[in-house]
């Protein structure tokens, strides 16, 4: 019999694998990879702009990843940096008009995927699922910070 840890881990890995495949396929339309979708979606929520440290926090990425992704998105004309003579960690990044179109496309496609993936869940089950996942993340964050007890 598969134990709880193995079942939990396998289910999460399978969800991530399929999600990454879907996002990769959708992002091809913009010459991007699936990993770029989280940045576009996050930036869409902050039309006034968002700093690199905020992107690190909200996207769960490190400084190097944010730096690479912003450079690539800027190069594709989807993002612009505001703040004259600012380094990566000063000023803010904003979506360009083309970036907004891409982000809205990704948002619409992501919503469709989430709705289809969860179509057989009642609203009550969906609420419980997200509450449970949030509690697991909170507990794992604490364990990661403090370490496992002896």
């Amino acid at each position: 019999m598969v134990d709880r840890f193995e079942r939990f881990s396998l289910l999460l890995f399978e969800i991530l694998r399929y999600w990454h495949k879907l996002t990769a396929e959708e992002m091809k339309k913009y010459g991007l990879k699936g990993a770029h979708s989280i940045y576009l979606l996050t930036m869409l929520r902050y039309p006034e702009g968002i700093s690199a440290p905020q992107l690190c926090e909200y996207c769960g990425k490190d400084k190097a990843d944010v730096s690479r992704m912003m450079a690539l998105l800027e190069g594709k004309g989807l993002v612009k940096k505001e703040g004259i003579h600012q380094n990566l960690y000063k000023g803010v990044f904003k979506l360009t008009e083309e970036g907004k179109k891409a982000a809205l496309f990704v948002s619409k496609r992501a919503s469709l995927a989430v709705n289809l993936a969860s179509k057989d869940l009642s609203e009550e089950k969906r609420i419980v699922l997200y509450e449970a996942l949030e509690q697991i993340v909170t507990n794992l964050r604490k364990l990661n910070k403090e370490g496992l007890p002896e």
Side-chain angles (χ1 to χ4, degrees), residues 102-121:
L104 287 169
F105 170 80
V106 171
S107 178
K108 190 174 357 174
R109 298 299 288 171
S111 291
L112 176 62
V114 169
N115 288 336
L116 291 172
S118 63
K119 68 180 180 181
D120 298 324
L121 291 178

Side-chain angles (χ1 to χ4, degrees), residues 20-32:
H20 288 296
K21 283 182 179 182
L22 285 170
T23 58
E25 192 60 36
E26 293 300 322
M27 296 306 289
K28 276 184 190 177
K29 296 168 176 77
Y30 287 92
L32 299 170

Side-chain angles (χ1 to χ4, degrees), residues 3-69:
D3 70 11
R4 279 181 25 194
F5 170 77
E6 188 177 359
R7 183 175 181 208
F8 177 78
S9 297
L10 290 173
L11 288 170
L12 285 180
F13 288 133
E14 191 167 4
I15 288 168
L16 285 173
R17 184 174 71 235
Y18 289 128
W19 186 254
H20 288 296
K21 283 182 179 182
L22 285 170
T23 58
E25 192 60 36
E26 293 300 322
M27 296 306 289
K28 276 184 190 177
K29 296 168 176 77
Y30 287 92
L32 299 170
K33 299 193 182 286
H36 298 106
S37 63
I38 191 69
Y39 290 100
L40 292 174
L41 292 172
T42 300
M43 293 180 74
L44 187 61
R45 290 194 330 255
Y46 297 93
E48 70 285 351
I50 186 168
S51 69
Q54 288 172 311
L55 281 168
C56 290
E57 180 182 345
Y58 301 155
C59 297
K61 304 294 183 178
D62 63 26
K63 293 176 188 178
D65 191 71
V66 169
S67 178
R68 279 190 306 274
M69 294 296 185

Side-chain angles (χ1 to χ4, degrees), residues 63-117:
K63 293 176 188 178
D65 191 71
V66 169
S67 178
R68 279 190 306 274
M69 294 296 185
M70 290 301 101
L72 190 138
L73 292 172
E74 278 185 288
K76 293 207 174 267
L78 300 174
V79 169
K80 63 182 174 185
K81 178 109 189 259
E82 288 191 355
I84 301 196
H85 305 298
Q86 302 289 350
N87 64 24
L88 177 65
Y89 299 101
K90 293 186 180 174
V92 294
F93 292 100
K94 290 185 176 184
L95 292 172
T96 63
E97 285 306 313
E98 190 62 28
K100 288 176 191 172
K101 289 178 192 172
L104 287 169
F105 170 80
V106 171
S107 178
K108 190 174 357 174
R109 298 299 288 171
S111 291
L112 176 62
V114 169
N115 288 336
L116 291 172

